mmCIF file of all heavy atoms in Angstrom:
data_model
loop_
_atom_site.group_PDB
_atom_site.id
_atom_site.type_symbol
_atom_site.label_atom_id
_atom_site.label_comp_id
_atom_site.label_asym_id
_atom_site.label_seq_id
_atom_site.Cartn_x
_atom_site.Cartn_y
_atom_site.Cartn_z
ATOM 1 N N ASP A 22 -28.513 4.457 -1.841
ATOM 2 C CA ASP A 22 -27.042 4.607 -1.905
ATOM 3 C C ASP A 22 -26.421 4.002 -0.633
ATOM 4 O O ASP A 22 -26.014 4.705 0.260
ATOM 5 C CB ASP A 22 -26.625 6.027 -2.068
ATOM 6 C CG ASP A 22 -25.182 6.234 -2.432
ATOM 7 O OD1 ASP A 22 -24.534 5.236 -2.717
ATOM 8 O OD2 ASP A 22 -24.665 7.329 -2.247
ATOM 9 N N VAL A 23 -26.339 2.634 -0.606
ATOM 10 C CA VAL A 23 -25.907 1.963 0.616
ATOM 11 C C VAL A 23 -24.483 2.335 0.935
ATOM 12 O O VAL A 23 -23.578 2.266 0.091
ATOM 13 C CB VAL A 23 -26.060 0.461 0.382
ATOM 14 C CG1 VAL A 23 -25.520 -0.305 1.594
ATOM 15 C CG2 VAL A 23 -27.518 0.083 0.090
ATOM 16 N N PRO A 24 -24.209 2.807 2.173
ATOM 17 C CA PRO A 24 -22.825 3.026 2.564
ATOM 18 C C PRO A 24 -21.981 1.799 2.514
ATOM 19 O O PRO A 24 -22.398 0.759 2.971
ATOM 20 C CB PRO A 24 -22.933 3.572 3.999
ATOM 21 C CG PRO A 24 -24.366 3.913 4.231
ATOM 22 C CD PRO A 24 -25.181 3.031 3.290
ATOM 23 N N PHE A 25 -20.788 1.936 1.908
ATOM 24 C CA PHE A 25 -19.839 0.832 1.857
ATOM 25 C C PHE A 25 -18.501 1.238 2.342
ATOM 26 O O PHE A 25 -17.923 2.276 1.963
ATOM 27 C CB PHE A 25 -19.677 0.357 0.361
ATOM 28 C CG PHE A 25 -18.573 -0.597 0.138
ATOM 29 C CD1 PHE A 25 -18.707 -1.911 0.639
ATOM 30 C CD2 PHE A 25 -17.334 -0.214 -0.401
ATOM 31 C CE1 PHE A 25 -17.632 -2.836 0.427
ATOM 32 C CE2 PHE A 25 -16.304 -1.113 -0.526
ATOM 33 C CZ PHE A 25 -16.384 -2.399 -0.091
ATOM 34 N N ILE A 26 -17.919 0.396 3.277
ATOM 35 C CA ILE A 26 -16.579 0.701 3.806
ATOM 36 C C ILE A 26 -15.710 -0.496 3.477
ATOM 37 O O ILE A 26 -15.984 -1.663 3.786
ATOM 38 C CB ILE A 26 -16.667 0.884 5.358
ATOM 39 C CG1 ILE A 26 -17.644 1.968 5.736
ATOM 40 C CG2 ILE A 26 -15.244 1.188 5.908
ATOM 41 C CD1 ILE A 26 -19.013 1.435 6.060
ATOM 42 N N ASN A 27 -14.624 -0.190 2.782
ATOM 43 C CA ASN A 27 -13.606 -1.221 2.414
ATOM 44 C C ASN A 27 -12.722 -1.393 3.653
ATOM 45 O O ASN A 27 -11.807 -0.606 3.903
ATOM 46 C CB ASN A 27 -12.854 -0.782 1.182
ATOM 47 C CG ASN A 27 -11.952 -1.933 0.660
ATOM 48 O OD1 ASN A 27 -11.533 -2.821 1.371
ATOM 49 N ND2 ASN A 27 -11.697 -1.976 -0.640
ATOM 50 N N VAL A 28 -12.950 -2.541 4.389
ATOM 51 C CA VAL A 28 -12.172 -2.741 5.632
ATOM 52 C C VAL A 28 -12.014 -4.207 5.831
ATOM 53 O O VAL A 28 -12.956 -4.986 5.527
ATOM 54 C CB VAL A 28 -12.844 -2.039 6.816
ATOM 55 C CG1 VAL A 28 -14.218 -2.608 7.121
ATOM 56 C CG2 VAL A 28 -11.994 -2.064 8.033
ATOM 57 N N ASP A 29 -10.908 -4.618 6.383
ATOM 58 C CA ASP A 29 -10.737 -6.001 6.808
ATOM 59 C C ASP A 29 -11.181 -6.188 8.220
ATOM 60 O O ASP A 29 -10.677 -5.460 9.169
ATOM 61 C CB ASP A 29 -9.239 -6.305 6.680
ATOM 62 C CG ASP A 29 -8.925 -7.815 6.956
ATOM 63 O OD1 ASP A 29 -9.831 -8.515 7.497
ATOM 64 O OD2 ASP A 29 -7.820 -8.174 6.617
ATOM 65 N N CYS A 30 -12.171 -7.028 8.466
ATOM 66 C CA CYS A 30 -12.697 -7.164 9.837
ATOM 67 C C CYS A 30 -11.646 -7.763 10.837
ATOM 68 O O CYS A 30 -11.849 -7.744 11.997
ATOM 69 C CB CYS A 30 -13.921 -8.150 9.823
ATOM 70 S SG CYS A 30 -15.296 -7.492 8.796
ATOM 71 N N CYS A 31 -10.549 -8.331 10.290
ATOM 72 C CA CYS A 31 -9.495 -8.811 11.112
ATOM 73 C C CYS A 31 -8.634 -7.668 11.654
ATOM 74 O O CYS A 31 -7.877 -7.892 12.631
ATOM 75 C CB CYS A 31 -8.594 -9.827 10.402
ATOM 76 S SG CYS A 31 -9.407 -11.367 10.012
ATOM 77 N N ASP A 32 -8.679 -6.494 11.080
ATOM 78 C CA ASP A 32 -7.937 -5.321 11.490
ATOM 79 C C ASP A 32 -8.873 -4.541 12.500
ATOM 80 O O ASP A 32 -9.652 -3.701 12.066
ATOM 81 C CB ASP A 32 -7.587 -4.467 10.336
ATOM 82 C CG ASP A 32 -6.751 -3.243 10.685
ATOM 83 O OD1 ASP A 32 -6.708 -2.854 11.899
ATOM 84 O OD2 ASP A 32 -6.123 -2.658 9.816
ATOM 85 N N LYS A 33 -8.733 -4.900 13.749
ATOM 86 C CA LYS A 33 -9.677 -4.347 14.721
ATOM 87 C C LYS A 33 -9.712 -2.827 14.790
ATOM 88 O O LYS A 33 -10.768 -2.234 14.913
ATOM 89 C CB LYS A 33 -9.378 -4.990 16.068
ATOM 90 C CG LYS A 33 -10.436 -4.638 17.161
ATOM 91 C CD LYS A 33 -10.177 -5.342 18.478
ATOM 92 C CE LYS A 33 -11.278 -4.967 19.515
ATOM 93 N NZ LYS A 33 -10.950 -5.630 20.788
ATOM 94 N N GLN A 34 -8.548 -2.261 14.707
ATOM 95 C CA GLN A 34 -8.470 -0.759 14.802
ATOM 96 C C GLN A 34 -9.233 -0.115 13.654
ATOM 97 O O GLN A 34 -10.024 0.804 13.818
ATOM 98 C CB GLN A 34 -7.029 -0.337 14.805
ATOM 99 C CG GLN A 34 -6.837 1.110 15.270
ATOM 100 C CD GLN A 34 -5.369 1.513 15.411
ATOM 101 O OE1 GLN A 34 -4.517 0.616 15.306
ATOM 102 N NE2 GLN A 34 -5.142 2.767 15.706
ATOM 103 N N ALA A 35 -9.020 -0.657 12.415
ATOM 104 C CA ALA A 35 -9.721 -0.126 11.272
ATOM 105 C C ALA A 35 -11.181 -0.379 11.319
ATOM 106 O O ALA A 35 -12.027 0.457 10.977
ATOM 107 C CB ALA A 35 -9.084 -0.684 10.021
ATOM 108 N N PHE A 36 -11.538 -1.670 11.784
ATOM 109 C CA PHE A 36 -12.928 -2.004 11.830
ATOM 110 C C PHE A 36 -13.707 -1.236 12.870
ATOM 111 O O PHE A 36 -14.868 -0.894 12.726
ATOM 112 C CB PHE A 36 -13.013 -3.499 12.159
ATOM 113 C CG PHE A 36 -14.364 -4.176 11.931
ATOM 114 C CD1 PHE A 36 -15.260 -3.636 11.048
ATOM 115 C CD2 PHE A 36 -14.640 -5.338 12.667
ATOM 116 C CE1 PHE A 36 -16.468 -4.290 10.844
ATOM 117 C CE2 PHE A 36 -15.846 -5.992 12.441
ATOM 118 C CZ PHE A 36 -16.764 -5.465 11.559
ATOM 119 N N ALA A 37 -12.990 -0.818 13.926
ATOM 120 C CA ALA A 37 -13.661 0.043 14.955
ATOM 121 C C ALA A 37 -14.162 1.303 14.424
ATOM 122 O O ALA A 37 -15.130 1.867 14.941
ATOM 123 C CB ALA A 37 -12.654 0.260 16.115
ATOM 124 N N GLN A 38 -13.582 1.834 13.389
ATOM 125 C CA GLN A 38 -14.027 3.073 12.743
ATOM 126 C C GLN A 38 -15.387 2.981 12.212
ATOM 127 O O GLN A 38 -16.160 3.968 12.198
ATOM 128 C CB GLN A 38 -12.981 3.586 11.669
ATOM 129 C CG GLN A 38 -11.604 3.895 12.193
ATOM 130 C CD GLN A 38 -11.612 4.917 13.271
ATOM 131 O OE1 GLN A 38 -12.226 5.996 13.136
ATOM 132 N NE2 GLN A 38 -11.002 4.573 14.443
ATOM 133 N N VAL A 39 -15.767 1.807 11.738
ATOM 134 C CA VAL A 39 -17.169 1.558 11.284
ATOM 135 C C VAL A 39 -18.124 1.773 12.431
ATOM 136 O O VAL A 39 -19.209 2.366 12.290
ATOM 137 C CB VAL A 39 -17.289 0.185 10.643
ATOM 138 C CG1 VAL A 39 -18.686 -0.014 10.122
ATOM 139 C CG2 VAL A 39 -16.266 0.013 9.516
ATOM 140 N N PHE A 40 -17.777 1.214 13.593
ATOM 141 C CA PHE A 40 -18.630 1.320 14.824
ATOM 142 C C PHE A 40 -18.673 2.749 15.300
ATOM 143 O O PHE A 40 -19.644 3.256 15.822
ATOM 144 C CB PHE A 40 -18.101 0.412 15.911
ATOM 145 C CG PHE A 40 -18.404 -1.068 15.658
ATOM 146 C CD1 PHE A 40 -17.722 -1.830 14.748
ATOM 147 C CD2 PHE A 40 -19.412 -1.698 16.373
ATOM 148 C CE1 PHE A 40 -17.973 -3.128 14.529
ATOM 149 C CE2 PHE A 40 -19.678 -3.046 16.206
ATOM 150 C CZ PHE A 40 -18.948 -3.771 15.252
ATOM 151 N N GLU A 41 -17.573 3.508 15.151
ATOM 152 C CA GLU A 41 -17.510 4.945 15.506
ATOM 153 C C GLU A 41 -18.434 5.753 14.617
ATOM 154 O O GLU A 41 -19.166 6.600 15.085
ATOM 155 C CB GLU A 41 -16.056 5.439 15.345
ATOM 156 C CG GLU A 41 -15.107 5.035 16.440
ATOM 157 C CD GLU A 41 -15.233 5.933 17.646
ATOM 158 O OE1 GLU A 41 -16.016 6.910 17.648
ATOM 159 O OE2 GLU A 41 -14.545 5.658 18.663
ATOM 160 N N GLN A 42 -18.422 5.445 13.348
ATOM 161 C CA GLN A 42 -19.049 6.310 12.370
ATOM 162 C C GLN A 42 -20.529 6.068 12.159
ATOM 163 O O GLN A 42 -21.290 6.985 11.834
ATOM 164 C CB GLN A 42 -18.338 6.155 10.987
ATOM 165 C CG GLN A 42 -18.727 7.154 9.915
ATOM 166 C CD GLN A 42 -17.902 7.019 8.670
ATOM 167 O OE1 GLN A 42 -16.916 6.289 8.651
ATOM 168 N NE2 GLN A 42 -18.298 7.754 7.657
ATOM 169 N N TYR A 43 -20.939 4.745 12.282
ATOM 170 C CA TYR A 43 -22.359 4.459 11.980
ATOM 171 C C TYR A 43 -23.117 3.986 13.186
ATOM 172 O O TYR A 43 -22.652 3.310 14.030
ATOM 173 C CB TYR A 43 -22.348 3.393 10.862
ATOM 174 C CG TYR A 43 -21.804 3.911 9.571
ATOM 175 C CD1 TYR A 43 -20.484 3.707 9.225
ATOM 176 C CD2 TYR A 43 -22.606 4.614 8.681
ATOM 177 C CE1 TYR A 43 -19.935 4.202 8.026
ATOM 178 C CE2 TYR A 43 -22.123 5.188 7.467
ATOM 179 C CZ TYR A 43 -20.780 4.916 7.217
ATOM 180 O OH TYR A 43 -20.258 5.406 5.965
ATOM 181 N N ASP A 44 -24.454 4.289 13.143
ATOM 182 C CA ASP A 44 -25.376 4.127 14.238
ATOM 183 C C ASP A 44 -26.250 2.925 14.011
ATOM 184 O O ASP A 44 -27.417 3.049 13.594
ATOM 185 C CB ASP A 44 -26.207 5.407 14.410
ATOM 186 C CG ASP A 44 -27.221 5.295 15.542
ATOM 187 O OD1 ASP A 44 -26.901 4.595 16.480
ATOM 188 O OD2 ASP A 44 -28.288 5.907 15.424
ATOM 189 N N PHE A 45 -25.710 1.687 14.149
ATOM 190 C CA PHE A 45 -26.432 0.465 13.976
ATOM 191 C C PHE A 45 -26.509 -0.277 15.276
ATOM 192 O O PHE A 45 -25.668 -0.144 16.121
ATOM 193 C CB PHE A 45 -25.806 -0.384 12.892
ATOM 194 C CG PHE A 45 -24.398 -0.648 13.120
ATOM 195 C CD1 PHE A 45 -23.964 -1.660 13.928
ATOM 196 C CD2 PHE A 45 -23.426 0.113 12.537
ATOM 197 C CE1 PHE A 45 -22.558 -1.918 14.161
ATOM 198 C CE2 PHE A 45 -22.063 -0.124 12.711
ATOM 199 C CZ PHE A 45 -21.620 -1.125 13.544
ATOM 200 N N ASP A 46 -27.628 -1.085 15.453
ATOM 201 C CA ASP A 46 -27.729 -1.837 16.707
ATOM 202 C C ASP A 46 -27.529 -3.326 16.488
ATOM 203 O O ASP A 46 -27.359 -4.103 17.403
ATOM 204 C CB ASP A 46 -29.109 -1.632 17.308
ATOM 205 C CG ASP A 46 -29.193 -2.073 18.742
ATOM 206 O OD1 ASP A 46 -28.240 -1.857 19.505
ATOM 207 O OD2 ASP A 46 -30.202 -2.735 19.112
ATOM 208 N N SER A 47 -27.582 -3.784 15.192
ATOM 209 C CA SER A 47 -27.441 -5.145 14.890
ATOM 210 C C SER A 47 -26.319 -5.400 13.850
ATOM 211 O O SER A 47 -26.031 -4.534 12.992
ATOM 212 C CB SER A 47 -28.782 -5.701 14.325
ATOM 213 O OG SER A 47 -29.846 -5.487 15.237
ATOM 214 N N VAL A 48 -25.776 -6.617 13.910
ATOM 215 C CA VAL A 48 -24.735 -6.979 12.920
ATOM 216 C C VAL A 48 -25.085 -8.379 12.353
ATOM 217 O O VAL A 48 -25.638 -9.231 13.076
ATOM 218 C CB VAL A 48 -23.362 -7.113 13.595
ATOM 219 C CG1 VAL A 48 -22.323 -7.564 12.584
ATOM 220 C CG2 VAL A 48 -22.941 -5.845 14.300
ATOM 221 N N ILE A 49 -24.934 -8.494 11.031
ATOM 222 C CA ILE A 49 -24.999 -9.827 10.368
ATOM 223 C C ILE A 49 -23.621 -10.095 9.861
ATOM 224 O O ILE A 49 -23.093 -9.338 9.041
ATOM 225 C CB ILE A 49 -26.042 -9.864 9.260
ATOM 226 C CG1 ILE A 49 -27.400 -9.521 9.754
ATOM 227 C CG2 ILE A 49 -26.077 -11.336 8.642
ATOM 228 C CD1 ILE A 49 -28.549 -9.552 8.705
ATOM 229 N N HIS A 50 -22.965 -11.207 10.361
ATOM 230 C CA HIS A 50 -21.597 -11.486 10.029
ATOM 231 C C HIS A 50 -21.444 -12.553 9.033
ATOM 232 O O HIS A 50 -21.676 -13.719 9.289
ATOM 233 C CB HIS A 50 -20.807 -11.828 11.352
ATOM 234 C CG HIS A 50 -19.372 -11.958 11.119
ATOM 235 N ND1 HIS A 50 -18.538 -10.910 10.797
ATOM 236 C CD2 HIS A 50 -18.519 -13.040 11.154
ATOM 237 C CE1 HIS A 50 -17.290 -11.313 10.696
ATOM 238 N NE2 HIS A 50 -17.238 -12.620 10.871
ATOM 239 N N PHE A 51 -20.991 -12.077 7.799
ATOM 240 C CA PHE A 51 -20.704 -13.058 6.692
ATOM 241 C C PHE A 51 -19.204 -13.180 6.439
ATOM 242 O O PHE A 51 -18.772 -13.997 5.634
ATOM 243 C CB PHE A 51 -21.398 -12.600 5.394
ATOM 244 C CG PHE A 51 -22.871 -12.582 5.407
ATOM 245 C CD1 PHE A 51 -23.594 -11.428 5.491
ATOM 246 C CD2 PHE A 51 -23.590 -13.753 5.373
ATOM 247 C CE1 PHE A 51 -24.971 -11.358 5.438
ATOM 248 C CE2 PHE A 51 -25.004 -13.735 5.370
ATOM 249 C CZ PHE A 51 -25.674 -12.557 5.430
ATOM 250 N N ALA A 52 -18.403 -12.266 6.935
ATOM 251 C CA ALA A 52 -17.050 -12.069 6.452
ATOM 252 C C ALA A 52 -16.218 -13.280 6.853
ATOM 253 O O ALA A 52 -15.558 -13.311 7.964
ATOM 254 C CB ALA A 52 -16.423 -10.822 7.088
ATOM 255 N N ALA A 53 -16.141 -14.265 6.014
ATOM 256 C CA ALA A 53 -15.355 -15.500 6.258
ATOM 257 C C ALA A 53 -14.947 -16.162 5.012
ATOM 258 O O ALA A 53 -15.624 -16.029 3.958
ATOM 259 C CB ALA A 53 -16.142 -16.526 7.067
ATOM 260 N N PHE A 54 -13.810 -16.863 4.991
ATOM 261 C CA PHE A 54 -13.438 -17.675 3.842
ATOM 262 C C PHE A 54 -14.318 -18.952 3.848
ATOM 263 O O PHE A 54 -14.672 -19.452 4.924
ATOM 264 C CB PHE A 54 -11.996 -18.029 3.921
ATOM 265 C CG PHE A 54 -11.012 -16.849 3.782
ATOM 266 C CD1 PHE A 54 -9.825 -16.797 4.512
ATOM 267 C CD2 PHE A 54 -11.348 -15.794 2.997
ATOM 268 C CE1 PHE A 54 -8.946 -15.726 4.423
ATOM 269 C CE2 PHE A 54 -10.469 -14.661 2.895
ATOM 270 C CZ PHE A 54 -9.304 -14.714 3.612
ATOM 271 N N LYS A 55 -14.534 -19.505 2.671
ATOM 272 C CA LYS A 55 -15.593 -20.560 2.620
ATOM 273 C C LYS A 55 -15.287 -21.758 1.746
ATOM 274 O O LYS A 55 -16.173 -22.636 1.571
ATOM 275 C CB LYS A 55 -16.955 -19.957 2.203
ATOM 276 C CG LYS A 55 -16.895 -19.322 0.824
ATOM 277 C CD LYS A 55 -18.266 -18.821 0.414
ATOM 278 C CE LYS A 55 -18.249 -18.361 -1.021
ATOM 279 N NZ LYS A 55 -19.566 -17.956 -1.544
ATOM 280 N N ALA A 56 -14.101 -21.866 1.133
ATOM 281 C CA ALA A 56 -13.784 -22.984 0.215
ATOM 282 C C ALA A 56 -13.257 -24.165 1.050
ATOM 283 O O ALA A 56 -12.196 -24.077 1.715
ATOM 284 C CB ALA A 56 -12.811 -22.551 -0.775
ATOM 285 N N VAL A 57 -14.051 -25.223 1.109
ATOM 286 C CA VAL A 57 -13.716 -26.375 2.019
ATOM 287 C C VAL A 57 -12.322 -26.924 1.614
ATOM 288 O O VAL A 57 -11.485 -27.174 2.499
ATOM 289 C CB VAL A 57 -14.807 -27.458 1.907
ATOM 290 C CG1 VAL A 57 -14.344 -28.717 2.612
ATOM 291 C CG2 VAL A 57 -16.075 -26.932 2.406
ATOM 292 N N GLY A 58 -12.114 -27.209 0.326
ATOM 293 C CA GLY A 58 -10.823 -27.793 -0.126
ATOM 294 C C GLY A 58 -9.614 -26.946 0.280
ATOM 295 O O GLY A 58 -8.566 -27.443 0.746
ATOM 296 N N GLU A 59 -9.760 -25.649 0.032
ATOM 297 C CA GLU A 59 -8.649 -24.744 0.373
ATOM 298 C C GLU A 59 -8.412 -24.712 1.853
ATOM 299 O O GLU A 59 -7.232 -24.702 2.331
ATOM 300 C CB GLU A 59 -9.031 -23.291 -0.066
ATOM 301 C CG GLU A 59 -7.904 -22.257 0.208
ATOM 302 C CD GLU A 59 -8.314 -20.838 -0.072
ATOM 303 O OE1 GLU A 59 -9.447 -20.413 0.407
ATOM 304 O OE2 GLU A 59 -7.577 -20.065 -0.751
ATOM 305 N N SER A 60 -9.467 -24.868 2.718
ATOM 306 C CA SER A 60 -9.266 -24.874 4.153
ATOM 307 C C SER A 60 -8.530 -26.076 4.577
ATOM 308 O O SER A 60 -7.841 -26.056 5.641
ATOM 309 C CB SER A 60 -10.642 -24.768 4.874
ATOM 310 O OG SER A 60 -11.308 -26.021 4.931
ATOM 311 N N VAL A 61 -8.642 -27.208 3.903
ATOM 312 C CA VAL A 61 -7.906 -28.368 4.295
ATOM 313 C C VAL A 61 -6.436 -28.184 3.841
ATOM 314 O O VAL A 61 -5.504 -28.557 4.636
ATOM 315 C CB VAL A 61 -8.438 -29.627 3.541
ATOM 316 C CG1 VAL A 61 -7.601 -30.860 3.776
ATOM 317 C CG2 VAL A 61 -9.847 -29.895 4.013
ATOM 318 N N ALA A 62 -6.190 -27.586 2.733
ATOM 319 C CA ALA A 62 -4.768 -27.314 2.274
ATOM 320 C C ALA A 62 -4.077 -26.216 3.026
ATOM 321 O O ALA A 62 -2.849 -26.277 3.198
ATOM 322 C CB ALA A 62 -4.814 -27.021 0.797
ATOM 323 N N ASP A 63 -4.844 -25.236 3.475
ATOM 324 C CA ASP A 63 -4.308 -24.074 4.171
ATOM 325 C C ASP A 63 -5.110 -23.690 5.409
ATOM 326 O O ASP A 63 -5.797 -22.631 5.449
ATOM 327 C CB ASP A 63 -4.186 -22.866 3.163
ATOM 328 C CG ASP A 63 -3.330 -21.727 3.766
ATOM 329 O OD1 ASP A 63 -2.773 -21.909 4.831
ATOM 330 O OD2 ASP A 63 -3.169 -20.726 3.103
ATOM 331 N N PRO A 64 -5.085 -24.548 6.455
ATOM 332 C CA PRO A 64 -5.989 -24.297 7.598
ATOM 333 C C PRO A 64 -5.776 -23.041 8.342
ATOM 334 O O PRO A 64 -6.658 -22.385 8.770
ATOM 335 C CB PRO A 64 -5.740 -25.587 8.462
ATOM 336 C CG PRO A 64 -4.467 -26.114 8.099
ATOM 337 C CD PRO A 64 -4.337 -25.789 6.601
ATOM 338 N N MET A 65 -4.509 -22.637 8.432
ATOM 339 C CA MET A 65 -4.208 -21.442 9.275
ATOM 340 C C MET A 65 -4.801 -20.179 8.634
ATOM 341 O O MET A 65 -5.208 -19.268 9.347
ATOM 342 C CB MET A 65 -2.635 -21.282 9.433
ATOM 343 C CG MET A 65 -2.089 -22.318 10.283
ATOM 344 S SD MET A 65 -2.946 -22.552 11.855
ATOM 345 C CE MET A 65 -2.716 -20.897 12.646
ATOM 346 N N LYS A 66 -4.867 -20.131 7.337
ATOM 347 C CA LYS A 66 -5.567 -18.991 6.645
ATOM 348 C C LYS A 66 -7.018 -18.906 7.138
ATOM 349 O O LYS A 66 -7.516 -17.783 7.383
ATOM 350 C CB LYS A 66 -5.540 -19.238 5.118
ATOM 351 C CG LYS A 66 -6.280 -18.182 4.309
ATOM 352 C CD LYS A 66 -6.186 -18.462 2.808
ATOM 353 C CE LYS A 66 -7.004 -17.420 2.047
ATOM 354 N NZ LYS A 66 -6.993 -17.683 0.571
ATOM 355 N N TYR A 67 -7.652 -20.044 7.295
ATOM 356 C CA TYR A 67 -9.053 -20.105 7.748
ATOM 357 C C TYR A 67 -9.246 -19.776 9.180
ATOM 358 O O TYR A 67 -10.138 -19.049 9.637
ATOM 359 C CB TYR A 67 -9.705 -21.456 7.368
ATOM 360 C CG TYR A 67 -10.115 -21.389 5.904
ATOM 361 C CD1 TYR A 67 -9.173 -21.334 4.878
ATOM 362 C CD2 TYR A 67 -11.501 -21.372 5.576
ATOM 363 C CE1 TYR A 67 -9.591 -21.212 3.550
ATOM 364 C CE2 TYR A 67 -11.884 -21.253 4.249
ATOM 365 C CZ TYR A 67 -10.937 -21.246 3.238
ATOM 366 O OH TYR A 67 -11.307 -21.130 1.937
#
C-alpha cells in the first residue's frame, strides 16, 4: 500500500510537508512536463 501524496512540487510549502512526514534518504525526480512541441509553443509553462 504505497503512500501517495497529491502535491505540486512547485508549491514548496506544501511539498515540504512530504519531507516532514516521511523518513526517506533518497529522491528520484520525475515531476516535469515533457511534450517537446508544447514546450516550443508555451516555453514559460516548462
Side-chain angles (χ1 to χ4, degrees):
D22 189 15
V23 176
F25 170 74
I26 304 94
N27 189 330
V28 66
D29 186 343
C30 299
C31 291
D32 183 341
K33 189 176 179 183
Q34 193 172 357
F36 195 24
Q38 295 305 307
V39 181
F40 285 74
E41 283 278 356
Q42 190 175 351
Y43 293 95
D44 179 30
F45 52 84
D46 195 42
S47 303
V48 180
I49 302 179
H50 185 67
F51 294 109
F54 296 144
K55 61 176 185 176
V57 173
E59 182 188 49
S60 81
V61 174
D63 192 2
M65 290 312 296
K66 176 180 178 180
Y67 277 67

